[in-house]
Amino acid sequence: MLRLTKRSEYGLMALAFMAQSGQAYTSVREIVAKLRIPRRLLAEVLKDLSFSEIVEAVRGPGGGYRLTCPAEELSLARVVEVLEGAGTVAQCTDGSRCDLSPSCTIQEGINLVAQRVKSVLNDFTLAELSDCTTPRPQPVSLAQGLAV
Amino acid sequence: MLRLTKRSEYGLMALAFMAQSGQAYTSVREIVAKLRIPRRLLAEVLKDLSFSEIVEAVRGPGGGYRLTCPAEELSLARVVEVLEGAGTVAQCTDGSRCDLSPSCTIQEGINLVAQRVKSVLNDFTLAELSDCTTPRPQPVSLAQGLAV
DNA sequence: AGAATATAGCATGATTTTAGTGCTCTTTCA
DNA sequence: TGAAAGAGCACTAAAATCATGCTATATTCT
Ligand code: SF4
Ligand code: SF4
């Protein structure tokens, strides 16, 4: 349906939360308390993200998760890819071929679309994602002008 | 999963096919024969497209479907919207609100992403979609032309 | 050492979405 | 009037997604 899964959304919400929490470790408990999302599922998502080294985990008191890189350098594409696989838009866009490809006349076109969609995700950083709602003042035009 | 449904793909394939068939009416039978996709499902898709006036239908011998506007003027966005609804990327992007929106910190960001994705779809016309594969003379077309 | 905190790991059931299909009716053209 | 072609209708099957409980292991602090 051209939608992100909840997994991705939860993951992004959590990451955005962490991005704002500075560089301290953030526990699942905290995130769940603030964001009101299923604890168990979030835990799994974060585990995956930790496995892919998008976040690092520390156990024990005071532990939790933390971004491994600045939010400005983490693209949505990377997160989404980890959380729901490489392919977007259609099935043939991640290398795996579909039964119809021999008779499919739009394969190349679709792949082009997929590429563009992906580049949207690639150009969108976690920083931007959380900045949109961060209680920051809005010198938006300036910031954008410089950032882009 | 950020994927189009089969409905959309089938629809697009069919439309692309029609775009290449000139302005003659094309029957479901023909399309199915060439494209090897489920007949019944395609019929339903085309019915929807006809309801939304993306194609027009004519019954009876020699009838079928035909694009109502030049392929250059039909955006993927329009087709996809008809076939799988307005929302993309997340649930809150089509107006309907989700339970989490009060605590969701990324809503605006996601909406921005959705907007961009949508504009990718908006800028992509059916003409482009089929052009990607059209200009290439197919080495297989001979065999196909004779076989079918 | 022991208590408390927090992630890691595991399997399964419920729900939702998507895909697929058969048959009959109506319209249109020759 | 007969053949072609879309219109309408309801259901089943399969897959993806969401959600959840419990135990184990690692870390820190007292
Ligand atoms: S080959 Fe065609 S039908 Fe198959 S996934 Fe790609 S675009 Fe879709
Ligand atoms: S409000 Fe947040 S969680 Fe709900 S659909 Fe929008 S982005 Fe996703």
Side-chain angles (χ1 to χ4, degrees):
Chain A
M1 207 186 185
L2 210 45
R3 290 243 177 110
L4 293 172
T5 61
K6 289 293 179 195
R7 279 171 60 85
S8 292
E9 280 196 57
Y10 294 159
L12 290 172
M13 288 169 80
L15 289 171
F17 184 73
M18 286 188 231
Q20 292 171 19
S21 297
Q23 68 283 67
Y25 286 98
T26 313
S27 70
V28 172
R29 204 173 211 66
E30 283 180 77
I31 302 177
V32 164
K34 290 280 182 192
L35 268 40
R36 310 241 149 234
I37 59 186
R39 170 181 332 202
R40 182 68 189 66
L41 194 48
L42 176 62
E44 197 165 300
V45 166
L46 283 172
K47 186 200 59 183
D48 290 350
L49 290 175
S50 134
F51 188 75
S52 302
E53 291 176 322
I54 286 176
V55 298
E56 55 182 335
V58 168
R59 304 196 217 191
Y65 294 96
R66 185 176 64 174
L67 293 171
T68 56
C69 67
E72 292 79 20
E73 293 172 18
L74 179 57
S75 71
L76 297 207
R78 179 138 170 255
V79 176
V80 171
E81 180 163 343
V82 167
L83 258 25
E84 55 190 60
T88 57
V89 184
Q91 202 190 1
C92 58
T93 56
D94 67 336
S96 67
R97 58 176 143 281
C98 113
D99 303 338
L100 301 173
S101 42
S103 60
C104 180
T105 59
I106 62 172
Q107 187 165 4
E108 299 188 30
I110 286 289
N111 271 72
L112 221 166
V113 173
Q115 234 174 277
R116 293 197 194 171
V117 168
K118 200 152 205 173
S119 79
V120 167
L121 259 42
N122 241 316
D123 294 345
F124 215 98
T125 70
L126 179 61
E128 293 176 78
L129 188 68
S130 42
D131 272 2
C132 289
T133 46
T134 307
R136 290 201 161 186
Q138 321 285 349
V140 184
S141 42
L142 257 182
Q144 273 196 346
L146 295 175
V148 181
Chain B
M1 206 185 184
L2 211 46
R3 291 243 176 110
L4 293 172
T5 61
K6 288 294 177 195
R7 279 170 60 84
S8 291
E9 280 195 60
Y10 294 160
L12 291 172
M13 288 169 80
L15 290 170
F17 184 74
M18 287 187 229
Q20 293 171 17
S21 298
Q23 67 283 69
Y25 285 98
T26 314
S27 70
V28 173
R29 203 172 211 66
E30 283 180 78
I31 302 178
V32 164
K34 290 281 181 191
L35 268 39
R36 310 241 151 233
I37 59 187
R39 170 181 332 202
R40 182 70 190 63
L41 194 47
L42 176 64
E44 199 166 300
V45 166
L46 284 172
K47 186 199 60 184
D48 290 349
L49 290 175
S50 135
F51 187 75
S52 302
E53 291 176 320
I54 286 177
V55 297
E56 55 181 334
V58 168
R59 304 197 217 190
Y65 293 96
R66 184 176 64 173
L67 293 171
T68 56
C69 66
E72 291 79 19
E73 293 172 18
L74 180 57
S75 72
L76 297 207
R78 180 139 170 255
V79 177
V80 171
E81 181 163 342
V82 166
L83 257 26
E84 57 190 58
T88 56
V89 183
Q91 201 190 1
C92 59
T93 55
D94 67 337
S96 68
R97 57 176 146 283
C98 112
D99 302 339
L100 301 173
S101 41
S103 60
C104 178
T105 60
I106 62 172
Q107 186 164 5
E108 300 187 31
I110 287 288
N111 272 71
L112 221 166
V113 174
Q115 235 174 278
R116 294 197 194 170
V117 168
K118 202 152 203 172
S119 79
V120 167
L121 260 43
N122 241 317
D123 294 345
F124 215 100
T125 69
L126 179 61
E128 292 177 78
L129 188 69
S130 42
D131 271 3
C132 289
T133 44
T134 304
R136 319 200 144 181
Q138 299 170 358
V140 198
S141 57
L142 259 182
Q144 274 194 346
L146 295 175
V148 184

